[in-house]
Amino acid sequence: MTDAAAEPKVKRLYRSDVRAARLRLGRRVRVTPVFHTEVAGPDGPVAVTFKLEYLQHGGTFKVRGSLNALLEARDDRRPVVIASGGNAGIAAALACAMQQRPCTVVVPESAPHTKVAAMWANGAEVQWFGTDYQEAFRRATDVAAERGALQLHAYDLPAVVAGAGVVGLEIEQQVRGRPPVLVAVGGGGLAAGIAAALGLRGRVVGVEPKGAPTLHSALAAGRPMDVAVSGIAADALGATRIGTIAFEIAQRYRITSTLVADDAIAMAREYLWREFRIVVEPAGAAALAALQTGAYVPEPGERPVIVLCGANTDLGTL
C-alpha cells in the first residue's frame, strides 16, 4: 500500500459549505467592519483595507468556527473538550456558554494567563498539560474518551474551517473588486476558510512567523509536516503542523506563504496602536508586517485586505 493510499481522505470544503455556516451562525456572531486607510510601507504610504475581526466576540475569529461546529451538531448535547494554546479555547468556552454546555480546555503550560483568564470568565474548566499544543491535544483526546465528550479541534475540523470562512464572505460584500487577502497562518483554518469562501476568483496570502512556518514547509515538501515552533506569536500561531483541511485547500486554491520575522510583527503591532489605537495580539499584526517589510508587495493600484484577527493580549506588552 502506498503512503498516499494510507492517508485518510480529507473532506473537501467549498463556498457552499461556508454559505451554510453563515446561515447557521446568523446574528450570533458579529459582522465585523472594514476600514480603508493607508499604512507606512518600505517605500512610502500603501493603501490597505483592514478587516477588523479582532472586534469579534471573544476577541477572536475562532468563535465563528466553534459555534458553527456546535450548531451543526445541535442534536449532540455532550460536554465539549478542546486543546488550545489560547484563542481556540476562548472561542470554545464562549460558544459553549452561548449553548449552555460544559466546556473543558486543555492548555499547554506556556498558555498566556490573559487567555486562560478569558476561558475561565466564560465558564470553562481549564487543565494544564504538557509543554506544547501537541501534548495538550493528546491529553484532550484522552479526556474526551474518558468523559464521553465531544472533542472540537482548534483548526482542523470541517465545521470550524467553514465557520471561519464566513470572514471571506463578509469581505466579498464589503470590499469592491477582488483584492488579495493577507491573513496570519498557524494551523491554517482562517486562511483556508477564506479561500474556500472566495474560491478561484479570490487570492489569499498566508503570512507566517519565521519561527512557525507550517504552511511554508508543507508547500515546499508537498505534504503537511511537523515544524519546530518559537517566537512571539507562538501562543496563537503555535501549531506545529498545518491542518490537513487547510493544506488541501491551499493546494486547490493556490494559497501562498510569506514569512516575517518576530521584530517585524512586534513593530507592526506597535504601529497599529500608535497610529490607529488598535490593540491586537502579535498574531493579529502578522499580516500587516508582511506589507510593511516588503515581504509582500502589492501590484500597482491594488489595495490588499489585511485581516486583524485577534485581540487577546496583555496590554502591558505594547
Side-chain angles (χ1 to χ4, degrees):
M1 182 179 292
T2 65
D3 290 341
E7 291 177 357
K9 187 176 180 63
V10 178
K11 173 178 168 53
R12 284 196 166 203
L13 291 182
Y14 295 94
R15 179 180 173 87
S16 58
D17 296 297
V18 182
R19 293 182 66 179
R22 179 171 61 181
L23 290 173
R24 197 176 290 120
L25 291 168
R27 296 184 179 180
R28 295 178 178 89
V29 297
R30 291 174 179 148
V31 176
T32 54
V34 296
F35 173 38
H36 307 294
T37 187
E38 290 185 341
V39 298
D43 299 312
V46 179
V48 301
T49 297
F50 288 145
K51 173 63 169 169
L52 307 183
E53 184 60 16
Y54 70 94
L55 297 175
Q56 189 53 256
H57 295 298
T60 172
F61 74 92
K62 287 180 177 286
V63 72
R64 297 175 184 264
S66 289
L67 186 55
N68 184 51
L70 295 186
L71 292 171
E72 186 179 72
R74 60 185 180 277
D75 295 330
D76 186 342
R77 300 300 299 176
R78 291 177 293 167
V80 171
V81 174
I82 189 171
S84 171
N87 284 340
I90 295 171
L94 181 55
C96 285
M98 292 178 180
Q99 296 290 298
Q100 298 182 321
R101 296 173 66 162
C103 179
T104 299
V105 185
V106 182
V107 301
E109 295 167 1
S110 57
H113 179 74
T114 301
K115 296 187 177 184
V116 172
M119 299 173 202
W120 281 331
N122 285 295
E125 172 195 354
V126 178
Q127 293 187 11
W128 280 267
F129 189 89
T131 58
D132 59 25
Y133 171 77
Q134 290 302 325
E135 290 184 5
F137 178 78
R138 288 191 287 271
R139 174 57 184 164
T141 301
D142 291 340
V143 171
E146 292 166 4
R147 299 183 181 182
L150 172 65
Q151 185 175 4
L152 295 183
H153 197 285
Y155 54 85
D156 205 17
L157 193 67
V160 166
V161 177
V166 177
V167 173
L169 296 181
E170 292 178 8
I171 290 172
E172 189 176 54
Q173 290 184 326
Q174 294 167 323
V175 179
R176 293 181 178 179
R178 304 194 186 282
V181 180
L182 277 63
V183 56
V185 171
L190 179 57
I194 293 173
L198 301 179
L200 291 173
R201 300 173 300 172
R203 181 152 60 101
V204 176
V205 179
V207 181
E208 304 175 271
K210 291 181 178 179
T214 58
L215 177 59
H216 192 270
S217 298
L219 291 175
R223 60 181 176 83
M225 58 186 301
D226 290 329
V227 300
V229 171
S230 63
I232 62 172
D235 64 296
L237 302 179
T240 58
R241 174 187 287 246
I242 197 72
T244 55
I245 297 171
F247 182 66
E248 189 279 324
I249 291 175
Q251 290 188 308
R252 180 160 36 111
Y253 293 126
R254 299 190 291 273
I255 300 176
T256 58
S257 170
T258 297
L259 301 180
V260 291
D262 276 3
D263 59 351
I265 295 173
M267 290 172 63
R269 182 171 177 255
E270 193 275 334
Y271 177 86
L272 284 167
W273 168 246
R274 185 179 71 249
E275 297 296 326
F276 302 105
R277 289 300 186 261
I278 289 175
V279 179
V280 295
E281 59 195 275
L288 176 60
L291 198 69
Q292 291 194 305
T293 59
Y296 176 83
V297 179
E299 297 292 333
E302 185 178 82
R303 180 190 287 269
V305 176
I306 307 295
V307 181
L308 304 179
C309 56
N312 291 300
T313 187
D314 183 350
L315 295 178
T317 62
L318 278 170

